[in-house]
Structure formats: structure tokens, C-alpha cells
Amino acid sequence: MKQYDYLVVGAGLFGACFAYLAKQKGASCLVIDKRPHTGGNTWCEEIESINVHKYGAHIFHTSDREVWNFVTSLCEFNNYINSPVANYKGRLYNLPFNMNTFHELWGVVTPEQAAEKIREQREAAGITEPRNLEEQAISLVGTDIYETLVKGYTEKQWGRKCTELPASIIRRLPVRFTFDNNYFNDTWQGIPVGGYNRLFDRLLEGIEVRTGADYFSDREYFDSLAEKTVFTGPIDQYYGYRFGKLEYRTVRFETTVLDMPNYQGVAVMNYTDAETPFTRIIEHKHFEFGKQDKTVISKEYSSEWKDDSEPYYPINNGRNNGLYLKYKELADRETSVIFGGRLAEYKYYDMHHVIGRVLHHPELERD
């Protein structure tokens, strides 16, 4: 007899939700994580009484009632609405692209005028079959929006020229002919009151958790503890990189405490020009309508992933997707290992996608 039903490797969203639901079904779980905390990339560190999103901004949003009811049954969410601002060489534009953006860009005042401006620029570009991201973006929103709000930001984010990126990265760009700065179209959004740590405290309540425990430091021992393993780390690492390493983009954060109550007046400000080295600045207190005397900001720098950095964004090009399918073929043969989450499935998931996948996971729906 094993000591636990499940060993859950990774105390992020997939692992914590899986352990919570498994416990509800009467299963025993051990959750381990190599980091010194739970919560994965949503973990918050309290600095100057402000919940700082240490691994980047996380804004919960969903139109799935089941997912929303699940998270709000665990903790209270505030009514934060994501309304980012773009800074292009000192000029500010609302995001997503909407009538406020078009008015600032062109001086137009009606949806008809804005639509005509975009149509003219699309036609002038004469692109019928977009061959790369640049041509795809221009064919969708015209040259002015592309040059001002897409090009510089995208090239910094991916570390490549837009002409070298596949058109598939931008299937569509949000264009809204209303004066609405709400970035998401989802029915519900917000931030857990008191930060995301509150959510994970509830998910992992009554479950044995070991932080600072690296699965790969003693894999044989950890595998011996449970009937099944739920693995949420990099799938290529699980298989010893036998086919080669998958590629990611990573983010470096430069966090500063400022002796002022308000730095930029908004939680998220994107810097869309090529000259500014960082992609955006996050002012964390605005996620929770903070009134502290000081503020905390984080500048985000995008770069290529290396072994000593955190993998953030899968690079889903042909080479990597083909490589992942080789690992997935191995994973599909496993009978005692469950793979889940962004790293194990090599796919960019929003938080609600991860929760939805756990809620309907075949392993948890079994009698």
C-alpha cells in the first residue's frame, strides 16, 4: 500500500485545484513544489502592505459560470476591471483598440469615421495573403495602429522582428467601435480580496504540502509515495529531454518601492515603442484599489528562456509543436502519471482554462 493516492508535483493552479477536488472525493494527496511557496506564478508577496504579483500580473476573468462559481466559493473576489494603457513615446492610448484609442490617434469622433480610416489603410497595404505577423496585423487594423501599438511591443515580447514571426500568432486583434476600455469580453473578472494567496490557502487547506521539495532531486523516493503522480512541470524535463528541449520566452522583473501614493494611475501600462527596453510597468496596488502611502511597481523585461530562468510563454512554432507531440505520445502511454497545466501540456492557458480542465478531468470524474 502506498502512503498517498496522489503525488501532486507543483503547487500551482492545476496542482492545487486537482488536490482540492481529489480530497473532496476522499483521496489522499501530497503536494510538493520546488519553490518556497505555493501558488505557482500567481503567488503574491506583501510589500508595504501591497500584494505584489511576483511573477507578473494575473487578472482572473471568465465567462464560464461553473468556473466562476468554483473560485468564488473559495474566496471573495473584488470588482477590478482590467483597463490597460499604452504609452508610445510619451503619448497615451487606451487598450484594447476602441473609440478612445482612435480619437487619440486620428481625432475621429464616430465609429463610422474610425472604421473608414482602418479600411483605407488596409486597402492601401494591399495584403491579400499575410506571410508574417506584420502583414497579418496590418491586414487587420491598418498601418497606424500596427506601427504605434503592435510592432514595438510584439518585437520586444518575442525577441524577433514581426516580419520573422508567423502570421498565426495574431489570428485577430480586438477592435471595438465603442468607448469601452474593458480589456476582456468575459462576463466576470476580478482579483481575490487579499491576493491570490487566499485562494491557494483554501485550495490546499487540510492537504499535506511540502515546499522547497524538488521532485527531480529524489524522483524514485517521491514516486514511491503514491499510487499516481500528477505532474505539472515541464514535460520535456520529465522525460529527461530525450528528444531535445522545448523553448520558452521568460520575463525578468525589476521591482521598486516608491515613496509616493500613485505612480502611473493604472495597474498596467504597456510601453509599445521599440526604444523602451521593458514591455510594461505594473503598479500592483491598483489591482486592489489600494490607498497606501507608498506604491510598488514592477518593470517587465522579456527575454529568451535559459535553464536558470522561469519558463513563461511556450513558443508554439512548428519546431516546438512537433517536439511536444513526441513527448505527448510518451505521456499518453502512461497509466500512473497525469500531466496537466501550461508546462506539462506546452500550451498558453489562462487561469480559467486551467481550472476548467481540472473540473472536468477524467481522473476526477471517475466513480
Side-chain angles (χ1 to χ4, degrees), residues 3 138 181 191 226 245 281-283 297-298 301 313-314 367:
Q3 190 173 349
I138 292 173
N181 298 325
I191 304 286
K245 290 187 178 181
I281 295 180
I282 305 300
E283 188 168 9
I297 64 168
S298 295
Y301 298 81
Y313 304 109
D367 293 331

Side-chain angles (χ1 to χ4, degrees), residues 43-45 47 50-58 153 251-258 263-264 266-271 278-287 295-302 312:
W43 182 69
C44 296
E45 179 183 9
I47 302 175
I50 298 166
N51 291 310
V52 174
H53 297 209
K54 289 295 287 185
Y55 301 93
H58 284 79
Y153 186 89
V251 183
R252 177 175 64 85
F253 302 95
E254 189 178 276
T255 299
T256 308
V257 177
L258 300 177
Y263 175 72
Q264 63 187 17
V266 67
V268 181
M269 184 170 291
N270 294 353
Y271 284 77
F278 46 85
T279 55
R280 62 182 184 174
I281 295 180
I282 305 300
E283 188 168 9
H284 301 269
K285 70 190 303 180
H286 295 307
F287 289 128
T295 193
V296 180
I297 64 168
S298 295
K299 294 179 180 179
E300 298 187 5
Y301 298 81
S302 181
Y312 278 88

Side-chain angles (χ1 to χ4, degrees), residues 11-240:
L13 200 54
F14 189 98
C17 287
F18 190 100
Y20 174 85
L21 293 170
K23 180 175 180 287
Q24 299 295 104
K25 292 174 69 70
S28 59
C29 298
L30 169 64
V31 179
I32 65 172
D33 200 294
K34 67 179 181 180
R35 293 176 179 176
H37 56 76
T38 63
N41 285 356
T42 68
W43 182 69
C44 296
E45 179 183 9
E46 186 176 309
I47 302 175
E48 296 292 341
S49 300
I50 298 166
N51 291 310
V52 174
H53 297 209
K54 289 295 287 185
Y55 301 93
H58 284 79
I59 300 140
F60 196 88
H61 58 97
T62 185
S63 291
D64 187 323
R65 184 179 295 275
E66 182 184 23
V67 169
W68 183 246
N69 287 345
F70 175 73
V71 296
T72 54
S73 73
L74 295 165
C75 65
E76 182 183 1
F77 276 66
N78 66 20
N79 63 340
Y80 173 80
I81 301 296
N82 190 31
S83 302
V85 173
N87 186 319
Y88 179 76
K89 299 183 178 181
R91 293 194 65 178
L92 304 182
Y93 302 89
N94 290 109
L95 298 174
F97 313 138
N98 66 67
M99 286 302 299
N100 290 310
T101 319
F102 307 144
H103 177 71
E104 180 63 29
L105 196 60
W106 300 312
V108 297
V109 295
T110 68
E112 183 180 18
Q113 291 171 337
E116 176 62 19
K117 195 78 174 176
I118 292 174
R119 186 192 65 78
E120 288 175 357
Q121 293 188 5
R122 285 173 177 162
E123 290 186 359
I127 299 168
T128 55
E129 293 289 337
R131 297 166 298 178
N132 52 55
L133 186 147
E134 176 171 286
E135 292 184 356
Q136 177 72 14
I138 292 173
S139 69
L140 290 171
V141 296
T143 51
D144 286 350
I145 295 174
Y146 168 71
E147 293 286 348
T148 306
L149 301 174
V150 177
K151 185 177 188 293
Y153 186 89
T154 302
E155 292 184 347
K156 288 188 291 186
Q157 187 176 42
W158 290 100
R160 294 158 177 82
K161 298 292 184 183
C162 286
T163 52
E164 299 170 3
L165 292 167
S168 59
I169 290 180
I170 298 183
R171 293 294 185 187
R172 62 181 181 84
L173 285 170
V175 177
R176 191 177 290 165
F177 293 102
T178 59
F179 291 89
D180 179 6
N181 298 325
N182 182 355
Y183 192 80
F184 299 119
N185 292 317
D186 287 303
T187 307
W188 300 285
Q189 65 180 291
I191 304 286
V193 174
Y196 280 96
N197 298 2
R198 298 279 181 90
L199 175 63
F200 281 86
D201 287 346
R202 283 298 311 280
L203 285 170
L204 296 170
E205 187 175 3
I207 296 171
E208 185 177 349
V209 178
R210 301 182 194 174
T211 56
D214 186 351
Y215 172 73
F216 293 104
S217 69
D218 199 345
R219 184 169 175 171
E220 186 176 349
Y221 162 72
F222 285 118
D223 284 340
S224 73
L225 297 176
E227 297 290 340
K228 289 189 175 183
T229 297
V230 179
F231 184 78
T232 70
I235 190 171
D236 53 346
Q237 184 181 16
Y238 184 88
Y239 288 109

